[in-house]
């Protein structure tokens, strides 16, 4: 595999990486700390991973911060996660902006308080012309919910049945205009998709690591990118130069 002169990164890096940031709770409990301390540590880790993405020239990063199912967690934890979202915007927005990060939100804003909703919208507006890294924060996000919203949007716009195709449906998703993720990472050893980017991830490569999210640093990201570069994506076709040997479904 060809390598860049000054780094051990392959030439073929993903355009879009999406991450299920899992294991904050276990990270904390293994240290005798409350679960929220794990979410705080996970939040500290955001800076490292965002900087690594910029260095690796990744163009899109999507982070699963709060799912539509996470409302079912204990109230204290839910409130803590909402506070973390607000703190991240208050404390990190200027630096993200200076780094050229364009912040986007995917998910339902209507579940948030008007105060937090406005904060998110202002942050999105403030960074909208940045283009070094597009950072999609999935907060109050669910993949099935997103598809239901898209269907409602199509009906509201009275789109004709014959005009509905995959390209058009993509335009009604929260991720409209964002290329599908090339690589989806899940930390902490869980092997599930958990309602994350279920439309967009149809042909994504998956990378699972047992590392808990607060410990998933630049070197861990580099390992994921190197592993990605070794995969051959087939999109339902056949392996290059192996057409005679087999047909592949995935
Ligand atoms: C999963 O770990 C993690 C979450 C549900 C929250 C992730 C949120 C952050 C890292 C904060 C960053 C927030 C923003 C605004 C970008 P878990 O609690 O399910 O861990 P466990 O499986 O070990 O219990």
């Amino acid at each position: 595999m060809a390598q860049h002169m000054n780094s051990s990164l392959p030439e073929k890096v993903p355009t879009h990486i999406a991450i299920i940031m899992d294991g904050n709770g276990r990270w904390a409990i293994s240290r005798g700390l409350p679960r929220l301390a794990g979410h705080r540590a996970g939040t500290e880790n955001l800076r490292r991973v965002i900087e690594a993405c910029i260095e690796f020239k990744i163009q899109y990063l999507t982070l699963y911060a709060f799912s539509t199912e996470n409302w079912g967690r204990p109230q204290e934890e839910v409130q803590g996660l909402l506070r973390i979202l607000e703190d991240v915007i208050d404390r990190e927005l200027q630096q993200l902006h200076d780094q050229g990060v364009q912040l986007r939100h995917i998910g339902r804003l209507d579940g948030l308080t008007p105060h937090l909703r406005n904060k998110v919208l202002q942050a999105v507006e403030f960074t909208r012309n940045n283009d070094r890294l597009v950072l999609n924060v999935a907060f109050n996000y669910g993949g099935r919910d997103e598809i239901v919203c898209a269907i409602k949007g199509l009906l509201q716009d009275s789109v004709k049945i014959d005009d509905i195709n995959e390209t058009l449906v993509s335009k009604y998703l929260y991720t409209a205009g964002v290329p599908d993720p090339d690589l989806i990472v899940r930390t902490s050893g869980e092997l599930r998709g958990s309602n994350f980017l279920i439309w967009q991830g149809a042909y994504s490569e998956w990378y699972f690591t047992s590392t808990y999210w607060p410990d998933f640093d630049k070197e861990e990201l580099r390992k994921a990118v190197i592993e990605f570069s070794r995969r051959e994506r087939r999109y339902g076709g056949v392996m290059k130069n192996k057409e005679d040997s087999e047909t592949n479904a995935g």
Side-chain angles (χ1 to χ4, degrees):
M1 181 63 55
Q3 308 278 319
H4 285 305
M5 291 277 280
N6 294 321
S7 79
S8 52
L9 257 196
E11 276 173 13
K12 189 181 86 173
V13 298
T15 301
H16 182 177
I17 299 181
I19 307 181
I20 302 179
M21 308 181 286
D22 200 4
N24 292 347
R26 278 164 286 165
W27 181 93
I29 284 158
S30 69
R31 286 165 173 74
L33 298 169
R35 291 178 55 81
L36 262 178
H39 294 314
R40 292 273 169 203
T43 307
E44 288 301 308
N45 194 42
L46 293 176
R47 213 176 292 126
R48 285 196 283 270
V49 169
I50 290 168
E51 273 164 22
C53 283
I54 291 172
E55 185 184 326
F56 296 171
K57 299 200 165 33
I58 307 299
Q59 291 171 47
Y60 297 86
L61 172 65
T62 300
L63 298 173
Y64 204 6
F66 191 93
S67 75
T68 45
E69 289 72 38
N70 285 154
W71 296 105
R73 291 191 176 208
Q75 266 311 298
E76 189 192 340
E77 185 169 343
V78 169
Q79 291 310 318
L81 286 166
L82 292 167
R83 218 173 309 121
I84 285 176
L85 175 62
E86 188 165 353
D87 287 353
V88 166
I89 296 173
D90 286 343
R91 294 193 200 142
E92 308 285 342
L93 186 64
Q94 188 62 50
Q95 195 188 341
L96 289 171
H97 179 63
D98 295 342
Q99 287 173 308
V101 174
Q102 181 190 133
L103 199 64
R104 290 182 54 150
H105 168 259
I106 61 171
R108 299 184 82 101
L109 278 177
D110 55 11
L112 309 183
T113 61
H115 171 73
L116 188 51
R117 201 182 307 155
N118 283 337
K119 211 162 246 228
V120 172
L121 290 171
Q122 281 166 12
V124 168
E125 178 61 25
F126 183 61
T127 60
R128 66 194 281 262
N129 293 320
N130 296 334
D131 60 5
R132 194 182 274 167
L133 173 71
V134 174
L135 173 61
N136 297 305
V137 177
F139 201 98
N140 197 16
Y141 172 87
R144 288 186 173 180
D145 179 63
E146 178 178 39
I147 292 170
V148 169
C149 287
I151 293 168
K152 287 183 178 171
L154 288 161
L155 291 174
Q156 259 158 12
D157 290 351
S158 306
V159 175
K160 293 199 196 81
I161 286 182
D162 288 347
D163 291 340
I164 297 177
N165 54 39
E166 293 183 11
T167 308
L168 186 68
V169 172
S170 295
K171 289 184 181 151
Y172 279 79
L173 299 175
Y174 298 129
T175 48
V178 173
D180 289 341
D182 305 289
L183 174 67
I184 304 181
V185 172
R186 182 165 191 154
T187 59
S188 91
E190 303 296 341
L191 307 178
R192 288 188 291 279
S194 297
N195 204 13
F196 186 47
L197 302 178
I198 54 179
W199 174 282
Q200 301 88 335
Y203 284 101
S204 301
E205 295 293 327
W206 280 82
Y207 176 85
F208 297 100
T209 170
S210 57
T211 304
Y212 293 149
W213 169 252
D215 295 328
F216 186 85
D217 59 11
K218 177 168 144 183
E219 290 318 306
E220 295 281 335
L221 185 70
R222 190 194 305 276
K223 275 193 242 168
V225 168
I226 289 170
E227 164 71 25
F228 169 81
S229 74
R230 294 189 179 126
R231 307 256 182 103
E232 176 159 11
R233 303 178 75 188
R234 300 199 292 269
Y235 302 97
V238 294
M239 281 176 81
K240 273 188 215 141
N241 307 322
K242 287 201 176 169
E243 287 88 341
D244 296 335
S245 59
E246 57 179 331
T247 48
N248 296 282

